[in-house]
Amino acid sequence: MFPHSLQQHQQARFSAAAPRYDQSALIQRAVADRLFQGLAYLGNATRALDIGCGTGQLSRRLAATWPNAFVLGIDHAPGMIEEARRLNEGAARPVFETADALRYRPAATFDLVVSSSTLHWMQPLERTMNVIAGFLEPGGSFAFALMLDGTLQELHEARLAVAPECPPLQRMPSEASVINALRAAGLRADITEVEEHRIHAPTARELVRDLRNLGVTGGPLSRGARPLKRAELDALFARYDERYRDDRGVYASYRVGYAWGVRHA
């Protein structure tokens, strides 16, 4: 676990990003779409939980797909929950609550738990998957999508080149570590996939600005033991602009892992 102040900073970043999140979250929206497509084989749901629901896009799709189901979206960032409720336009479903999933204690178990573009923030994964398994009734289904090691690798390389003593405090999980954490928690992944995506911007400064608009520059996956100095940032942007550019501009890579499956009965 990381210091409470770092967790608060991450929470504040996501809350601040909430009003503009949907217009900036192109990769995250594509990931949620793919995750939702894979739910087709899982059958009916009566109680569904969306962990790290953000502005509630996936939660609303679950509620529309299963109109008689109780659907709950939780997120640790109050700003995200406020935006989710605003976008819900007063509808009774789904329900949104501000909650830290690792400390959340539901009144009853769920037969479906989903999470899109969130679980990589909740490390160590072994603990996270054990908590999630406790949310699921035996035989209940899950659908997860999370960022894997290699995501934003260009930014990490440029950072290490200009400040080698100040790497991010934490790495994205590997594909193997995700599978191992699922198995250890008694969660059987029937289908797994890995996808790669790129985002583009005219310059490295604008790319990092876009990442800030998503709230992803907070927390241990992006912050080091100290903030980068102005000269280090200038050197980072210059290196990035020179090394990581194609015909669409400067780019950043995402590696996304998916898993659909069930909790062992």
Side-chain angles (χ1 to χ4, degrees), residues 56-248:
Q57 288 191 21
L58 185 55
S59 299
R60 286 187 287 274
R61 293 179 74 172
L62 296 176
T65 301
W66 292 291
N68 296 318
F70 171 75
V71 178
L72 171 65
I74 63 172
D75 200 288
H76 76 141
M80 287 291 186
I81 293 300
E82 290 175 11
E83 184 69 5
R85 289 172 175 165
R86 185 187 71 80
L87 294 172
N88 219 33
E89 298 178 343
R93 303 173 59 253
V95 175
F96 294 106
E97 292 183 12
T98 302
D100 179 343
L102 295 179
R103 295 176 174 83
Y104 183 61
R105 298 295 179 267
T109 54
F110 298 85
D111 54 12
L112 174 63
V113 175
V114 304
S115 183
S116 184
S117 300
T118 295
L119 298 183
H120 49 276
W121 295 104
M122 298 165 57
Q123 298 188 47
L125 277 180
E126 291 79 3
R127 177 193 177 196
T128 296
M129 294 303 180
N130 275 315
V131 170
I132 291 174
F135 295 159
L136 275 168
E137 63 183 38
S141 300
F142 67 85
F144 303 147
L146 67 162
M147 305 305 171
L148 300 176
D149 193 28
T151 295
L152 303 182
Q153 62 184 356
E154 302 85 2
L155 186 59
H156 293 312
E157 186 280 332
R159 180 192 183 112
L160 286 174
V162 302
E165 81 291 354
C166 192
L169 296 172
Q170 196 174 73
R171 294 179 66 93
M172 297 282 187
S174 67
E175 185 178 356
S177 70
V178 174
I179 297 300
N180 290 337
L182 288 169
R183 289 174 178 166
L187 300 173
R188 187 187 76 223
D190 295 327
I191 302 173
T192 60
E193 293 180 2
V194 176
E195 285 184 343
E196 296 190 1
H197 300 267
R198 276 187 178 181
I199 59 171
H200 289 81
T203 68
R205 287 182 186 274
E206 291 169 280
L207 182 69
V208 171
R209 180 205 61 199
D210 292 343
L211 293 173
R212 288 197 184 107
N213 286 342
L214 292 172
V216 302
T217 53
L221 291 172
S222 55
R223 290 173 64 85
R226 62 167 175 81
L228 294 185
K229 301 172 184 177
R230 177 68 64 111
E232 290 171 330
L233 281 172
D234 289 342
L236 182 153
F237 291 140
R239 182 181 180 88
Y240 204 116
D241 283 332
E242 178 183 356
R243 294 175 65 92
Y244 301 111
R245 180 179 295 276
D246 59 23
D247 57 359
R248 297 178 59 191

